[in-house]
Amino acid sequence: MILEKINKPNDIHDIALADFPTLAGEIRQFLVKSVSKTGGHLASNLGAVELTIALHNVLDFPQDKLIWDVGHQAYTHKILTGRKEEFATLRREGGLSGFPKRKESDCDAFDTGHSSNSISAALGYVRARDLLGQKHHVVAVIGDGALTGGMAYEALNNAAVLKTNFIIVLNDNNMSISKNVGGMSMYLSALRTAQAYTGMKLSVTKSLEKIPRIGIPLVDTVRRTKSSIKQLFIPGMLFEDMGLTYLGPADGHDMRQMMKLFNEAKRVDGPVVVHVITRKGRGYLPASTDPEKFHGVGPFDVATGKPLEKKKGPSCTEVFADTMVELGRENPRLVAITAAMPDGTGLDKFRKAFPERFFDVGIAEEHAVTFAAGLALGGLKPVVAVYSSFLQRSVDQILHDVCMQKLPVVFAIDRAGLVGADGETHQGCFDLSYLSMMPDMTVMAPKNGWELKEMLRFAAEYEGPCAIRYPKGCACEEFTEFQAPLVYGKSEVLEQGEEVAVLAVGSMMKTGELVCDGLKEKGICPTLVNVRFVKPLDEELLNDLPEKHNLIVTVEENVKSGGFGEHVAAYMQERHPGCRVLPIAIGDRFVEHGSVESLRARIGLSPESILRAIEEYGV
Ligand SMILES: Cc1ncc(C[n+]2csc(CCOP(=O)(O)OP(=O)(O)O)c2C)c(N)n1
């Protein structure tokens, strides 16, 4: 096994070039076997095996800096930098992260998880290198999907004026998670189809150059011509015109070809884009035939590619997806927007039903939100479906473009709260804070699938900015006996008691109930409230509580700072200073990867730890 010889960074330099294809095959087998047990991002990693080997061959670690955009495709990089043995712990608590982590290895130059920032970070490294008189190479690897994100263009624009070496590898597999979208994607497709003619282009240019006297000026003229025939001679003109050298397109599974281009790129005094064409899921049939399904997977059977975990009940995503189709039928003005996640958000159902009312804008959350603002002003009812952590990208757009104009945009926020295995970049635990601070925003959190549907129906009619946040995984199927009609700004009292009132937000409802059970065992008869509206606060309820209660415990899967509990505490401090409030929320920290259940226990969100906190605080 060649792979056995890879145990630390740069071991690849001792492997004969002739053995590289065997090594690539062994890494693929290792990845499939390993991810089939732990789950993880498979298709992107299978597509980037040769690319990573080629890069490691021409770079030296940790001196050279390699920044992976999103970072979900960095498994081979982890293997080649001595972390092979830790793959059994991938994405488990205390184990190997699914993304690059500086604290895991000094060969990981930047922690990533959110898309389209690699060129910015790498450019920072380049400027620092130059100012400090250092000589290493800096490489950003960005996918064609990530290249739909605005930050990538801001960085390219900034990089274009650089006079020193900076390598940007464009890993183009024609896919985001789903099929890639938009004008850049179309442009890259044109470059890809030109690939077969690259040899011809070069030889045409060379032949023209040989024509005495007029040859070289002719080639120069063609280079400068502002017409598409230029494209025939020089691929990548868009980048070239911006001031970046374009090399490629290269076959991203041909390591010799790539290494030649990377070595060439290292000699350029300026920014270079090396365009490589890869195939997502390559080498494992189930993944190459359905790369979307194998983008991120749970444990699966290697022989069939079928998932090993049985599906439990319907997920919140499915409830959202079905409700959107119902609402779309009822209201022809309802439109849906996703930032490159039609499948993850469930909007693919809406797309099938109403293709002309569905918009995939690429990995462009900022644009998605302001685009929705325009749609609303144009007379439509937009629903932006997005994961909580990715919506962080759009805080100013929500505030400045939506809330300030009180526009009726609905934010359907999936993966809110802890998401588990993807770790700190993906935990959705800030949305209640950044949404609650915005004037005119309404924020809801459903206790179960029924309520999510009700909230969506409510939001579809509501005439201002409004957000519904719901968790990853199965929609809670409990509390079905509680179906009080949804009233704006009102919470739902599930159990009336005294002494302690537990106010639980959405995904923490079950935990709230278990806390109440624990209190009952101690002889306390608590009140249990389903908060429903995080904003506005249900002031009527809060004003009534002090009469029979001396402690309010709020429970939410969000950071404490700026969360529901802090707002309740501030309100009570002002209006009812005698009533004590214990906000249970995520502390001032980032929460790493692990199962949601064990993470909750570790950070004080399990029923047991909440009961302990109440005891310590004193009833
Ligand atoms: C800001 C942000 N939005 C959405 C995502 C979810 N996401 C992860 S990978 C991915 C697709 C990336 O496509 P590409 O860069 O082409 O890489 P590939 O998976 O095709 O290798 C998306 C949308 C993200 N990581 N960050």
Side-chain angles (χ1 to χ4, degrees), residues 44 72 113-115 143-146 173 175-176 280 295 363 365 390:
S44 313
H72 63 309
H114 287 195
S115 158
D144 57 306
N173 53 27
M175 295 279 295
S176 195
K280 218 165 163 168
H295 180 85
I363 311 180
E365 288 81 4
F390 304 145

Side-chain angles (χ1 to χ4, degrees), residues 229-307:
I229 65 153
K230 184 167 64 173
Q231 189 63 53
L232 246 158
F233 293 87
I234 306 152
M237 270 321 287
L238 185 87
F239 298 106
E240 293 268 341
D241 279 345
M242 269 185 80
L244 298 114
T245 300
Y246 172 92
L247 298 178
D251 177 346
H253 301 294
D254 179 336
M255 290 176 277
R256 280 179 195 274
Q257 207 185 41
M258 277 187 289
M259 287 180 308
K260 197 164 157 254
L261 283 192
F262 293 150
N263 279 321
E264 211 172 300
K266 281 167 77 172
R267 288 192 290 271
V268 176
D269 286 330
V272 197
V273 173
V274 185
H275 185 188
V276 302
I277 313 292
T278 59
R279 171 110 192 251
K280 218 165 163 168
R282 178 165 164 124
Y284 178 54
L285 197 62
S288 60
T289 39
D290 193 349
E292 186 167 353
K293 193 171 113 202
F294 279 85
H295 180 85
V297 281
F300 62 91
D301 174 46
V302 174
T304 62
K306 297 240 160 71

Side-chain angles (χ1 to χ4, degrees), residues 54-73:
L55 278 171
H56 273 251
N57 184 256
V58 303
L59 297 175
D60 268 310
F61 289 99
Q63 296 89 309
D64 291 332
K65 308 298 170 198
L66 177 56
I67 298 178
W68 297 95
D69 206 285
V70 183
H72 63 309
Q73 73 294 56

Side-chain angles (χ1 to χ4, degrees), residues 465-480:
C466 142
I468 308 168
R469 60 111 68 175
Y470 44 92
K472 182 182 179 194
C474 288
C476 173
E477 287 179 317
E478 301 198 39
F479 307 109
T480 46

Side-chain angles (χ1 to χ4, degrees), residues 156-423:
L156 281 176
N157 184 50
N158 195 193
V161 294
L162 197 70
K163 297 279 179 282
T164 56
N165 185 252
F166 174 24
I167 302 171
I168 299 162
V169 177
L170 172 54
N171 172 16
D172 177 6
N173 53 27
N174 201 18
M175 295 279 295
S176 195
I177 292 179
S178 308
K179 178 133 186 46
N180 204 8
V181 295
M184 177 51 90
S185 174
M186 265 154 45
Y187 176 67
L188 294 179
S189 292
L191 289 186
R192 260 195 308 273
T193 48
Q195 185 186 19
Y197 303 105
T198 307
M200 190 192 85
K201 267 183 271 173
L202 285 179
S203 61
V204 169
T205 314
K206 284 214 172 80
S207 316
L208 284 177
E209 273 172 352
K210 278 187 201 138
I211 304 173
R213 278 185 307 116
I214 60 159
I216 289 175
L218 183 65
V219 170
D220 270 358
T221 312
V222 169
R223 278 181 206 270
R224 272 184 268 109
T225 311
K226 279 208 166 46
S227 88
S228 58
I229 65 153
K230 184 167 64 173
Q231 189 63 53
L232 246 158
F233 293 87
I234 306 152
M237 270 321 287
L238 185 87
F239 298 106
E240 293 268 341
D241 279 345
M242 269 185 80
L244 298 114
T245 300
Y246 172 92
L247 298 178
D251 177 346
H253 301 294
D254 179 336
M255 290 176 277
R256 280 179 195 274
Q257 207 185 41
M258 277 187 289
M259 287 180 308
K260 197 164 157 254
L261 283 192
F262 293 150
N263 279 321
E264 211 172 300
K266 281 167 77 172
R267 288 192 290 271
V268 176
D269 286 330
V272 197
V273 173
V274 185
H275 185 188
V276 302
I277 313 292
T278 59
R279 171 110 192 251
K280 218 165 163 168
R282 178 165 164 124
Y284 178 54
L285 197 62
S288 60
T289 39
D290 193 349
E292 186 167 353
K293 193 171 113 202
F294 279 85
H295 180 85
V297 281
F300 62 91
D301 174 46
V302 174
T304 62
K306 297 240 160 71
L308 291 179
E309 283 163 1
K310 292 259 169 311
K311 204 170 164 288
K312 293 169 195 134
S315 63
C316 287
T317 310
E318 285 165 330
V319 174
F320 165 74
D322 293 337
T323 314
M324 279 297 287
V325 175
E326 281 171 29
L327 293 170
R329 272 198 208 106
E330 292 164 23
N331 180 0
R333 292 185 172 222
L334 192 87
V335 291
I337 302 131
T338 177
M341 320 263 315
D343 182 52
T345 57
L347 277 184
D348 43 1
K349 278 195 180 166
F350 189 90
R351 171 174 57 187
K352 278 193 198 99
F354 315 104
E356 72 292 354
R357 287 195 267 150
F358 164 85
F359 302 98
D360 181 350
V361 298
I363 311 180
E365 288 81 4
E366 298 102 307
H367 162 63
V369 172
T370 305
F371 171 59
L375 288 168
L377 282 168
L380 298 175
K381 178 73 188 183
V383 178
V384 181
V386 60
Y387 288 8
S388 168
S389 83
F390 304 145
L391 190 62
Q392 286 160 205
R393 283 276 164 98
S394 328
V395 168
D396 185 57
Q397 284 76 8
I398 305 173
L399 194 147
H400 181 275
D401 298 335
V402 175
C403 288
M404 224 175 259
Q405 306 185 72
K406 299 188 181 42
L407 298 180
V409 176
V410 179
F411 296 95
I413 307 176
D414 202 332
R415 292 353 184 232
L418 298 178
V419 297
D422 279 335

